[in-house]
Amino acid sequence: ATPAAAPQEPTLKLALIPVLDTIPIYIAVQNNYFEAQGITVDLVPVKSPQERDVLLQTEQVDGVLTDLQGVGLLNKDAVKVKAVYTSRRPFAGAPLFRILASPKSDINAPADLKGVPIGISNNTIIEYLTDRMLAGEGLAADEIGKIEVGAITVRFEQLMNGNIKAAVLPDPLAQGAIAAGARLVVDDSAYAELSQSVLVFRTSTLAARPDTVRKFLLAWKQAVDEVNANPEKYRAVLMEQGRVPESLKASYQMPPFPGVGVPTEAEVADVTAWLKAKGLVAREIPYTDMVDSSFLPK
């Protein structure tokens, strides 16, 4: 007789930065969706991408929410993690990132940014989007200026004070900057194929607990369907987990979340080409080293 397979550990541990993209997890917890799937999900709050990635690389957590640039950097030498679900994409009226002009500048359009140092975080999705969106708006590579301002709150303050003329900020902070006088130059809702976050798990976790990961994604999908259908019902979660600025708490709307899916081969290829061109990875990283769609809910 064939011996029965050993039962899979029904527990997952995830490191999460407090960003809008993680909201479905908290809705799944609130509504007992993980419990209904028979799994336990332990959430480890972290303050920075660096802290999050250290926990993942040292195998203290099973998964994280990150972006394709992060997946590529984690896999630069060998396959350690894979994206299994696209957690957030931009929609019309609900971008993830915006290039903004300082209220104290005379910048109004992408062409005005030629040669202007834009406050970014180097070697991240923010730099990638800056390069790609401004190229899409007609700027040549040597016309795109950038300056490293790593901390988002400092970047916001430098922009609003006029110490830098332009910066890239995530929503909802970007919308808070606009409300305070910053001007929108371009955002990623016009370049939806460039911008997304992904749910990522260690390959060792995917191999040892595939059913647990599938149950996690079923609960995630249930939470997405629920919040998309009833966004106002979860306003308290939005305020608590989304870091909504005080000035926007009465007006900021829950963004829509995408349905079941993973990044496309073209999206991954563009990110890995950018990483290689910048010297951040040395090898060609194939799609199958970055993404695994086999865990998606059917």
Side-chain angles (χ1 to χ4, degrees), residues 256-288:
F257 289 84
V260 175
V262 292
T264 68
E265 292 196 32
E267 289 166 345
V268 170
D270 192 63
V271 168
T272 55
W274 181 84
L275 290 170
K276 195 163 187 284
K278 284 188 61 66
L280 298 172
V281 301
R283 71 186 186 99
E284 300 284 349
I285 306 178
Y287 181 74
T288 52

Side-chain angles (χ1 to χ4, degrees), residues 118-122 147-152 154-156 158 164:
I118 302 166
I120 63 159
S121 176
N122 286 338
I147 182 171
E148 163 79 1
V149 187
I152 291 173
V154 174
R155 201 180 316 144
F156 171 87
Q158 294 283 302
I164 53 177

